[in-house]
Amino acid sequence: MKIGKLLRETRLVAGLTQTEMAAVAISESFYSKVERGVHNIDADTLVEVLKANHINPVQFFSRTLDGPMQESPHKKSILDAGFMVKK
């Protein structure tokens, strides 16, 4: 699912207007264009918008997947790097 479409669905379920959803980080005009797929939003700004509206970013991003996650052939090297594992 595209980020803009998911933002719109999430906003509507939360009962928020575009103005309310965008107010913390971006203009309503830009936000509207993100929802319509005209503009892209960077990850930092998206997470800021989500958190300000009490939307869990992890749950939000998990809904962008079109199917089950495939195990990465690089899984061991990523985990060995330690940046994904809390100690």
Side-chain angles (χ1 to χ4, degrees):
M1 179 177 290
K2 297 283 186 175
I3 295 294
K5 181 178 179 183
L6 185 54
L7 272 172
R8 183 177 190 283
E9 289 179 6
T10 302
R11 176 180 61 78
L12 293 174
V13 168
L16 299 169
T17 65
Q18 288 183 340
T19 302
E20 293 167 329
M21 189 77 161
V24 296
I26 55 179
S27 71
E28 177 185 359
S29 173
F30 182 81
Y31 179 84
S32 174
K33 291 174 184 171
V34 170
E35 278 194 2
R36 290 183 284 132
V38 174
H39 286 311
N40 291 320
I41 187 170
D42 68 71
D44 291 334
T45 304
L46 176 57
V47 169
E48 185 178 346
V49 168
L50 294 173
K51 288 171 68 176
N53 287 288
H54 309 288
I55 298 165
N56 183 314
V58 173
Q59 291 176 340
F60 178 87
F61 284 112
S62 71
R63 293 193 54 217
T64 65
L65 302 173
D66 292 328
M69 288 184 66
Q70 301 293 321
E71 186 168 309
S72 169
H74 307 292
K75 181 179 178 182
K76 185 172 178 6
S77 63
I78 291 171
L79 292 177
D80 288 344
F83 67 87
M84 293 186 69
V85 180
K86 290 185 179 181
K87 295 183 179 183

Coordinates of all heavy atoms in Angstrom, one line a residue:
M1 N 0.9 -1.2 0.0 CA 0.0 0.0 0.0 C 0.9 1.2 0.0 O 1.9 1.3 0.7 CB -0.9 0.0 1.2 CG -1.8 1.2 1.3 SD -2.9 1.2 2.7 CE -4.1 -0.1 2.2
K2 N 0.5 2.2 -0.7 CA 1.2 3.5 -0.8 C 1.1 4.3 0.4 O 0.0 4.3 1.1 CB 0.8 4.3 -2.0 CG 1.0 3.7 -3.4 CD 2.4 3.8 -3.8 CE 2.6 3.3 -5.2 NZ 3.9 3.5 -5.7
I3 N 2.1 5.0 0.8 CA 2.1 5.8 2.0 C 1.0 6.8 2.0 O 0.3 7.0 3.0 CB 3.5 6.6 2.2 CG1 4.6 5.6 2.4 CG2 3.4 7.6 3.3 CD1 4.6 4.8 3.7
G4 N 0.8 7.6 0.9 CA -0.3 8.6 0.9 C -1.7 8.0 1.2 O -2.5 8.5 1.9
K5 N -2.0 6.8 0.5 CA -3.3 6.2 0.7 C -3.4 5.7 2.2 O -4.5 5.9 2.8 CB -3.4 5.0 -0.2 CG -4.7 4.3 -0.1 CD -4.8 3.1 -1.1 CE -6.1 2.4 -0.9 NZ -6.3 1.3 -1.8
L6 N -2.3 5.2 2.7 CA -2.4 4.7 4.1 C -2.5 5.9 5.1 O -3.3 5.8 6.1 CB -1.1 3.9 4.4 CG -1.1 3.2 5.8 CD1 -2.3 2.4 6.1 CD2 0.2 2.4 5.9
L7 N -1.9 7.0 4.8 CA -2.0 8.2 5.6 C -3.5 8.6 5.6 O -4.0 8.9 6.7 CB -1.2 9.3 5.1 CG 0.2 9.4 5.7 CD1 1.0 10.5 4.9 CD2 0.2 9.7 7.1
R8 N -4.1 8.6 4.5 CA -5.5 9.1 4.4 C -6.4 8.1 5.2 O -7.2 8.6 6.0 CB -6.0 9.1 2.9 CG -7.4 9.6 2.7 CD -7.8 9.7 1.3 NE -9.0 10.4 1.1 CZ -10.2 9.9 1.3 NH1 -10.3 8.6 1.7 NH2 -11.3 10.6 1.1
E9 N -6.2 6.8 5.0 CA -7.1 5.9 5.7 C -6.9 6.0 7.2 O -7.8 6.0 8.0 CB -6.7 4.4 5.3 CG -7.2 4.1 3.9 CD -6.8 2.7 3.5 OE1 -6.3 1.9 4.3 OE2 -7.0 2.3 2.3
T10 N -5.6 6.1 7.6 CA -5.3 6.3 9.0 C -5.9 7.6 9.6 O -6.5 7.5 10.7 CB -3.8 6.3 9.2 OG1 -3.2 5.1 8.7 CG2 -3.4 6.4 10.7
R11 N -5.8 8.6 8.9 CA -6.4 9.9 9.3 C -7.9 9.9 9.5 O -8.4 10.3 10.5 CB -6.0 11.0 8.3 CG -6.6 12.4 8.6 CD -6.2 13.4 7.6 NE -6.6 13.1 6.3 CZ -7.9 13.3 5.8 NH1 -8.8 13.7 6.6 NH2 -8.2 13.0 4.5
L12 N -8.5 9.2 8.5 CA -10.0 9.1 8.6 C -10.5 8.3 9.7 O -11.4 8.6 10.4 CB -10.5 8.6 7.2 CG -10.4 9.5 6.0 CD1 -10.8 8.9 4.8 CD2 -11.1 10.8 6.3
V13 N -9.8 7.2 10.0 CA -10.1 6.3 11.1 C -9.9 7.1 12.4 O -10.7 6.9 13.4 CB -9.3 5.0 11.1 CG1 -9.4 4.3 12.4 CG2 -9.7 4.1 9.9
A14 N -8.9 7.9 12.5 CA -8.6 8.7 13.7 C -9.6 9.9 13.8 O -9.6 10.5 14.9 CB -7.2 9.2 13.7
G15 N -10.3 10.2 12.8 CA -11.3 11.3 12.9 C -10.6 12.6 12.8 O -11.1 13.6 13.3
L16 N -9.5 12.7 12.1 CA -8.7 14.0 12.0 C -8.9 14.6 10.6 O -9.1 13.9 9.6 CB -7.3 13.7 12.2 CG -6.9 13.1 13.6 CD1 -5.4 12.7 13.6 CD2 -7.1 14.2 14.6
T17 N -8.8 15.9 10.5 CA -8.8 16.6 9.3 C -7.4 16.6 8.8 O -6.4 16.4 9.5 CB -9.3 18.1 9.4 OG1 -8.4 18.8 10.2 CG2 -10.7 18.1 10.0
Q18 N -7.2 17.0 7.5 CA -5.8 17.1 7.0 C -5.1 18.2 7.7 O -3.9 18.1 8.0 CB -5.9 17.5 5.5 CG -6.3 16.3 4.6 CD -6.3 16.6 3.1 OE1 -6.3 17.7 2.7 NE2 -6.2 15.5 2.3
T19 N -5.8 19.3 8.1 CA -5.1 20.4 8.8 C -4.6 19.9 10.2 O -3.5 20.2 10.6 CB -6.1 21.5 9.0 OG1 -6.6 22.0 7.8 CG2 -5.5 22.7 9.8
E20 N -5.4 19.1 10.9 CA -5.0 18.6 12.2 C -3.9 17.6 12.0 O -2.9 17.6 12.8 CB -6.2 17.9 12.9 CG -7.3 18.8 13.3 CD -8.6 18.1 13.6 OE1 -8.9 17.0 13.1 OE2 -9.3 18.7 14.5
M21 N -3.9 16.8 11.1 CA -2.9 15.7 10.9 C -1.6 16.4 10.5 O -0.5 15.9 11.0 CB -3.3 14.8 9.7 CG -2.5 13.6 9.6 SD -2.8 12.3 10.9 CE -2.1 10.9 10.1
A22 N -1.6 17.4 9.7 CA -0.3 18.0 9.2 C 0.2 19.1 10.1 O 1.4 19.4 10.1 CB -0.6 18.6 7.9
A23 N -0.6 19.6 11.0 CA -0.2 20.9 11.7 C 1.2 20.8 12.4 O 1.8 21.9 12.5 CB -1.3 21.2 12.8
V24 N 1.6 19.7 12.9 CA 2.8 19.7 13.6 C 4.1 19.8 12.8 O 5.1 20.3 13.3 CB 3.0 18.3 14.4 CG1 1.9 18.2 15.5 CG2 3.0 17.1 13.5
A25 N 4.1 19.5 11.5 CA 5.3 19.4 10.8 C 5.3 20.0 9.4 O 6.3 20.4 8.9 CB 5.8 18.0 10.7
I26 N 4.1 20.0 8.7 CA 4.1 20.4 7.3 C 2.8 21.2 7.1 O 1.9 21.2 7.9 CB 4.2 19.2 6.4 CG1 3.1 18.2 6.7 CG2 5.5 18.6 6.4 CD1 3.1 16.9 5.8
S27 N 2.7 21.8 5.9 CA 1.5 22.6 5.6 C 0.4 21.6 5.2 O 0.6 20.5 4.7 CB 1.8 23.6 4.5 OG 2.0 22.8 3.3
E28 N -0.8 22.1 5.3 CA -2.0 21.3 4.9 C -1.9 21.0 3.4 O -2.2 19.9 2.9 CB -3.3 22.0 5.2 CG -4.5 21.3 4.7 CD -5.8 22.1 5.0 OE1 -5.7 23.2 5.5 OE2 -6.8 21.6 4.5
S29 N -1.5 22.0 2.6 CA -1.3 21.8 1.2 C -0.4 20.7 0.8 O -0.7 19.9 0.0 CB -0.9 23.2 0.6 OG -0.6 23.0 -0.8
F30 N 0.8 20.7 1.5 CA 1.8 19.7 1.2 C 1.2 18.3 1.6 O 1.3 17.3 0.9 CB 3.1 19.9 1.9 CG 4.2 18.9 1.6 CD1 4.9 19.0 0.5 CD2 4.4 17.9 2.5 CE1 5.9 18.0 0.2 CE2 5.4 16.9 2.2 CZ 6.1 17.0 1.1
Y31 N 0.6 18.3 2.8 CA 0.1 17.0 3.3 C -1.0 16.5 2.3 O -1.0 15.3 2.0 CB -0.5 17.2 4.7 CG -1.1 15.9 5.2 CD1 -0.3 15.0 5.9 CD2 -2.5 15.6 5.0 CE1 -0.9 13.8 6.3 CE2 -3.0 14.4 5.5 CZ -2.2 13.5 6.1 OH -2.7 12.3 6.5
S32 N -1.8 17.3 1.8 CA -2.9 16.9 0.9 C -2.2 16.3 -0.3 O -2.7 15.3 -0.9 CB -3.7 18.1 0.5 OG -4.6 17.8 -0.5
K33 N -1.1 16.9 -0.8 CA -0.5 16.3 -2.0 C 0.2 15.0 -1.7 O 0.3 14.1 -2.6 CB 0.5 17.4 -2.5 CG -0.2 18.6 -3.1 CD 0.8 19.6 -3.5 CE 0.0 20.9 -4.0 NZ 0.9 22.0 -4.2
V34 N 0.7 14.8 -0.5 CA 1.2 13.5 -0.1 C 0.1 12.4 -0.1 O 0.3 11.3 -0.7 CB 1.9 13.6 1.3 CG1 2.3 12.2 1.8 CG2 3.1 14.5 1.3
E35 N -1.0 12.7 0.4 CA -2.1 11.8 0.4 C -2.5 11.4 -1.0 O -2.9 10.3 -1.3 CB -3.4 12.4 1.2 CG -3.3 12.2 2.7 CD -4.7 12.5 3.3 OE1 -5.7 12.8 2.6 OE2 -4.7 12.4 4.6
R36 N -2.5 12.4 -1.9 CA -2.9 12.1 -3.3 C -1.8 11.5 -4.1 O -2.0 11.2 -5.3 CB -3.4 13.4 -3.9 CG -4.7 13.9 -3.4 CD -5.3 15.1 -4.0 NE -4.5 16.3 -3.6 CZ -4.0 17.2 -4.3 NH1 -4.1 17.2 -5.6 NH2 -3.4 18.3 -3.8
G37 N -0.6 11.4 -3.6 CA 0.5 10.8 -4.3 C 1.3 11.8 -5.2 O 2.1 11.4 -6.0
V38 N 1.0 13.1 -5.1 CA 1.6 14.1 -5.9 C 3.1 14.4 -5.4 O 4.0 14.6 -6.1 CB 0.8 15.4 -5.9 CG1 1.5 16.5 -6.6 CG2 -0.5 15.1 -6.5
H39 N 3.2 14.4 -4.0 CA 4.5 14.6 -3.4 C 4.9 13.4 -2.5 O 4.0 12.7 -2.0 CB 4.5 15.9 -2.5 CG 4.5 17.2 -3.3 ND1 5.4 17.5 -4.3 CD2 3.8 18.3 -3.1 CE1 5.2 18.7 -4.7 NE2 4.2 19.2 -4.0
N40 N 6.1 13.2 -2.3 CA 6.6 12.2 -1.3 C 7.0 13.0 0.0 O 7.3 14.1 0.0 CB 7.9 11.5 -1.9 CG 7.5 10.7 -3.1 OD1 6.5 10.0 -3.1 ND2 8.4 10.6 -4.1
I41 N 6.9 12.2 1.0 CA 7.3 12.8 2.4 C 8.5 12.0 2.9 O 8.6 10.8 2.7 CB 6.1 12.6 3.3 CG1 6.3 13.3 4.6 CG2 5.7 11.2 3.5 CD1 5.1 13.5 5.5
D42 N 9.4 12.7 3.5 CA 10.6 12.0 4.0 C 10.3 11.3 5.3 O 9.3 11.6 5.9 CB 11.8 13.0 4.1 CG 11.6 14.0 5.2 OD1 11.7 13.6 6.4 OD2 11.5 15.2 4.9
A43 N 11.0 10.3 5.6 CA 10.8 9.4 6.7 C 10.7 10.2 8.0 O 9.9 9.9 8.9 CB 11.8 8.3 6.7
D44 N 11.7 11.1 8.2 CA 11.7 11.8 9.5 C 10.4 12.6 9.7 O 9.9 12.6 10.8 CB 12.9 12.8 9.5 CG 14.2 12.0 9.6 OD1 14.3 10.9 10.1 OD2 15.3 12.6 9.2
T45 N 10.0 13.3 8.6 CA 8.8 14.1 8.8 C 7.5 13.2 9.0 O 6.7 13.5 9.8 CB 8.6 15.0 7.5 OG1 9.8 15.8 7.3 CG2 7.4 15.9 7.6
L46 N 7.5 12.1 8.2 CA 6.4 11.2 8.4 C 6.3 10.7 9.8 O 5.2 10.7 10.4 CB 6.5 10.0 7.4 CG 5.5 8.9 7.5 CD1 4.0 9.5 7.4 CD2 5.7 7.8 6.5
V47 N 7.4 10.2 10.4 CA 7.4 9.7 11.7 C 7.0 10.8 12.7 O 6.2 10.6 13.7 CB 8.8 9.1 12.1 CG1 8.9 8.8 13.6 CG2 9.0 7.9 11.3
E48 N 7.4 12.1 12.5 CA 7.0 13.2 13.3 C 5.5 13.4 13.3 O 4.9 13.6 14.3 CB 7.8 14.5 12.9 CG 7.6 15.7 13.7 CD 8.3 16.9 13.2 OE1 9.3 16.7 12.4 OE2 8.0 18.0 13.7
V49 N 5.0 13.4 12.1 CA 3.5 13.5 11.9 C 2.8 12.4 12.7 O 1.8 12.6 13.4 CB 3.1 13.6 10.4 CG1 1.6 13.4 10.3 CG2 3.6 14.9 9.8
L50 N 3.2 11.2 12.5 CA 2.6 10.0 13.1 C 2.6 10.1 14.6 O 1.6 10.0 15.3 CB 3.2 8.7 12.6 CG 3.0 8.4 11.1 CD1 3.9 7.1 10.8 CD2 1.6 8.2 10.8
K51 N 3.8 10.4 15.2 CA 3.9 10.4 16.6 C 3.1 11.6 17.2 O 2.5 11.4 18.3 CB 5.4 10.5 17.0 CG 6.1 9.2 16.7 CD 7.6 9.3 16.9 CE 8.1 9.6 18.3 NZ 9.5 9.6 18.4
A52 N 3.1 12.7 16.5 CA 2.3 13.9 17.1 C 0.8 13.6 17.1 O 0.1 14.1 17.9 CB 2.6 15.1 16.2
N53 N 0.4 12.6 16.3 CA -1.0 12.3 16.2 C -1.3 11.0 16.9 O -2.3 10.3 16.7 CB -1.5 12.2 14.8 CG -1.6 13.6 14.2 OD1 -2.5 14.4 14.5 ND2 -0.7 14.0 13.3
H54 N -0.3 10.5 17.7 CA -0.5 9.3 18.6 C -0.7 8.0 17.7 O -1.5 7.2 18.1 CB -1.5 9.5 19.6 CG -1.4 10.7 20.4 ND1 -0.4 10.9 21.3 CD2 -2.0 11.9 20.3 CE1 -0.5 12.1 21.8 NE2 -1.4 12.8 21.3
I55 N 0.0 8.0 16.6 CA -0.1 6.8 15.7 C 1.2 6.1 15.8 O 2.3 6.7 15.6 CB -0.4 7.3 14.3 CG1 -1.8 8.0 14.2 CG2 -0.4 6.1 13.3 CD1 -2.0 8.8 13.0
N56 N 1.2 4.8 16.1 CA 2.4 4.0 16.2 C 3.1 3.8 14.9 O 2.5 3.2 14.0 CB 2.0 2.7 16.8 CG 3.3 1.8 17.1 OD1 4.1 1.7 16.2 ND2 3.3 1.2 18.2
P57 N 4.3 4.4 14.7 CA 5.0 4.3 13.4 C 5.2 2.8 13.0 O 5.1 2.5 11.8 CB 6.3 5.0 13.6 CG 6.0 6.0 14.7 CD 5.0 5.3 15.6
V58 N 5.5 2.0 13.9 CA 5.8 0.6 13.5 C 4.6 -0.1 13.0 O 4.6 -0.8 11.9 CB 6.3 -0.2 14.8 CG1 6.5 -1.7 14.5 CG2 7.7 0.3 15.2
Q59 N 3.4 0.1 13.6 CA 2.2 -0.5 13.1 C 1.8 0.2 11.8 O 1.3 -0.5 10.9 CB 1.0 -0.3 14.1 CG 1.2 -1.1 15.4 CD 0.2 -0.8 16.4 OE1 -0.5 0.2 16.4 NE2 0.0 -1.8 17.3
F60 N 2.0 1.5 11.6 CA 1.7 2.2 10.4 C 2.6 1.6 9.2 O 2.0 1.2 8.2 CB 2.0 3.7 10.5 CG 1.8 4.4 9.2 CD1 0.6 4.9 9.0 CD2 2.8 4.7 8.4 CE1 0.3 5.6 7.8 CE2 2.6 5.4 7.2 CZ 1.4 5.9 6.9
F61 N 3.9 1.5 9.4 CA 4.7 0.9 8.4 C 4.5 -0.5 8.1 O 4.6 -1.0 6.9 CB 6.2 1.2 8.7 CG 6.7 2.6 8.5 CD1 7.0 3.4 9.6 CD2 6.7 3.1 7.2 CE1 7.4 4.7 9.4 CE2 7.1 4.4 7.0 CZ 7.5 5.2 8.1
S62 N 4.0 -1.3 9.1 CA 3.8 -2.7 8.8 C 2.6 -2.9 7.9 O 2.5 -3.8 7.1 CB 3.5 -3.5 10.1 OG 2.3 -3.1 10.7
R63 N 1.7 -1.9 7.8 CA 0.5 -1.9 6.9 C 0.9 -1.6 5.5 O 0.1 -1.8 4.6 CB -0.6 -1.0 7.4 CG -1.2 -1.5 8.7 CD -2.4 -0.8 9.1 NE -3.4 -0.8 8.0 CZ -4.2 0.2 7.7 NH1 -4.2 1.3 8.4 NH2 -5.1 0.0 6.7
T64 N 2.1 -1.1 5.2 CA 2.6 -0.8 3.9 C 3.0 -2.0 3.1 O 3.2 -2.0 1.9 CB 3.7 0.2 3.9 OG1 4.9 -0.3 4.5 CG2 3.3 1.5 4.5
L65 N 3.2 -3.1 3.8 CA 3.7 -4.3 3.2 C 2.5 -5.0 2.4 O 1.4 -5.1 2.9 CB 4.2 -5.3 4.2 CG 5.3 -4.8 5.1 CD1 5.6 -5.8 6.2 CD2 6.5 -4.5 4.3
D66 N 2.8 -5.4 1.2 CA 1.8 -6.0 0.3 C 1.6 -7.5 0.6 O 0.7 -8.1 0.2 CB 2.2 -5.9 -1.1 CG 2.1 -4.4 -1.6 OD1 1.2 -3.7 -1.0 OD2 2.8 -4.0 -2.4
G67 N 2.5 -8.1 1.4 CA 2.4 -9.5 1.7 C 3.4 -9.9 2.8 O 3.9 -9.0 3.4
P68 N 3.5 -11.1 3.1 CA 4.4 -11.5 4.2 C 5.8 -11.1 3.9 O 6.3 -11.2 2.7 CB 4.2 -13.0 4.3 CG 3.7 -13.4 3.0 CD 2.9 -12.3 2.4
M69 N 6.6 -10.7 4.9 CA 8.0 -10.4 4.7 C 8.8 -11.6 4.3 O 8.6 -12.7 4.9 CB 8.5 -9.7 5.9 CG 8.0 -8.3 6.2 SD 8.8 -7.6 7.6 CE 10.5 -7.4 7.0
Q70 N 9.7 -11.4 3.4 CA 10.6 -12.5 3.0 C 11.8 -12.4 3.9 O 12.3 -11.3 4.2 CB 11.0 -12.4 1.6 CG 9.8 -12.4 0.6 CD 9.2 -13.8 0.5 OE1 9.8 -14.8 0.6 NE2 7.8 -13.8 0.5
E71 N 12.3 -13.5 4.3 CA 13.6 -13.5 5.1 C 14.7 -13.0 4.3 O 14.9 -13.5 3.2 CB 13.9 -14.9 5.7 CG 15.0 -14.8 6.7 CD 15.2 -16.1 7.5 OE1 14.1 -16.5 8.1 OE2 16.3 -16.6 7.5
S72 N 15.5 -12.1 4.7 CA 16.6 -11.6 4.0 C 17.7 -12.5 4.0 O 18.1 -13.1 5.0 CB 17.0 -10.2 4.7 OG 18.3 -9.8 4.1
P73 N 18.4 -12.7 2.8 CA 19.6 -13.5 2.8 C 20.7 -12.9 3.6 O 21.7 -13.5 3.9 CB 19.9 -13.6 1.3 CG 19.3 -12.4 0.7 CD 18.1 -12.1 1.6
H74 N 20.6 -11.6 4.0 CA 21.6 -10.9 4.7 C 21.3 -10.8 6.2 O 21.9 -10.1 7.0 CB 21.8 -9.5 4.2 CG 22.0 -9.5 2.7 ND1 23.2 -9.9 2.1 CD2 21.2 -9.1 1.7 CE1 23.1 -9.8 0.8 NE2 21.9 -9.3 0.5
K75 N 20.3 -11.6 6.6 CA 19.8 -11.5 8.0 C 20.9 -11.6 9.0 O 21.1 -10.8 10.0 CB 18.7 -12.5 8.3 CG 18.2 -12.5 9.7 CD 17.1 -13.6 9.8 CE 16.5 -13.6 11.2 NZ 15.5 -14.6 11.4
K76 N 21.8 -12.6 8.9 CA 22.8 -12.9 9.8 C 23.8 -11.7 9.9 O 24.1 -11.2 11.0 CB 23.6 -14.2 9.5 CG 24.6 -14.5 10.5 CD 25.2 -15.9 10.3 CE 26.3 -16.3 11.2 NZ 26.6 -15.6 12.3
S77 N 24.2 -11.2 8.8 CA 25.1 -10.0 8.8 C 24.5 -8.8 9.4 O 25.1 -8.0 10.1 CB 25.6 -9.8 7.4 OG 24.6 -9.4 6.5
I78 N 23.2 -8.6 9.2 CA 22.5 -7.4 9.8 C 22.4 -7.6 11.3 O 22.7 -6.7 12.0 CB 21.1 -7.3 9.2 CG1 21.2 -6.8 7.7 CG2 20.3 -6.3 10.0 CD1 19.9 -6.9 7.0
L79 N 22.1 -8.8 11.7 CA 22.0 -9.0 13.2 C 23.4 -8.9 13.8 O 23.5 -8.5 14.9 CB 21.3 -10.3 13.5 CG 19.8 -10.4 13.1 CD1 19.3 -11.8 13.4 CD2 19.0 -9.3 13.8
D80 N 24.4 -9.4 13.1 CA 25.7 -9.4 13.6 C 26.2 -7.9 13.8 O 27.0 -7.6 14.7 CB 26.7 -10.1 12.7 CG 26.6 -11.6 12.8 OD1 25.9 -12.1 13.8 OD2 27.1 -12.3 11.9
A81 N 25.7 -7.1 13.0 CA 26.1 -5.6 13.1 C 25.6 -5.0 14.4 O 26.1 -4.1 14.9 CB 25.5 -4.8 11.9
G82 N 24.6 -5.6 15.0 CA 24.1 -5.2 16.3 C 23.2 -4.0 16.3 O 22.6 -3.6 17.3
F83 N 23.0 -3.3 15.2 CA 22.2 -2.1 15.2 C 20.7 -2.4 15.3 O 19.9 -1.5 15.5 CB 22.5 -1.2 14.1 CG 22.1 -1.7 12.7 CD1 20.9 -1.4 12.2 CD2 23.0 -2.3 11.9 CE1 20.5 -1.9 11.0 CE2 22.7 -2.8 10.7 CZ 21.4 -2.6 10.2
M84 N 20.3 -3.6 15.0 CA 18.9 -3.9 15.1 C 18.5 -4.7 16.3 O 17.3 -4.9 16.6 CB 18.5 -4.8 13.8 CG 18.6 -4.0 12.5 SD 18.0 -5.0 11.1 CE 16.2 -5.0 11.5
V85 N 19.4 -5.1 17.1 CA 19.2 -5.9 18.3 C 19.4 -5.0 19.6 O 20.5 -4.5 19.8 CB 20.1 -7.1 18.3 CG1 19.8 -8.0 19.6 CG2 19.9 -7.9 17.1
K86 N 18.4 -4.9 20.4 CA 18.5 -4.2 21.7 C 19.2 -5.1 22.6 O 18.9 -6.3 22.8 CB 17.2 -3.8 22.2 CG 16.5 -2.7 21.4 CD 15.2 -2.2 22.1 CE 14.6 -1.1 21.3 NZ 13.4 -0.6 21.9
K87 N 20.2 -4.5 23.3 CA 20.9 -5.3 24.3 C 20.7 -4.8 25.7 O 20.3 -3.7 25.9 CB 22.4 -5.2 24.0 CG 22.8 -5.9 22.7 CD 24.3 -5.9 22.5 CE 24.6 -6.5 21.1 NZ 26.0 -6.6 20.8

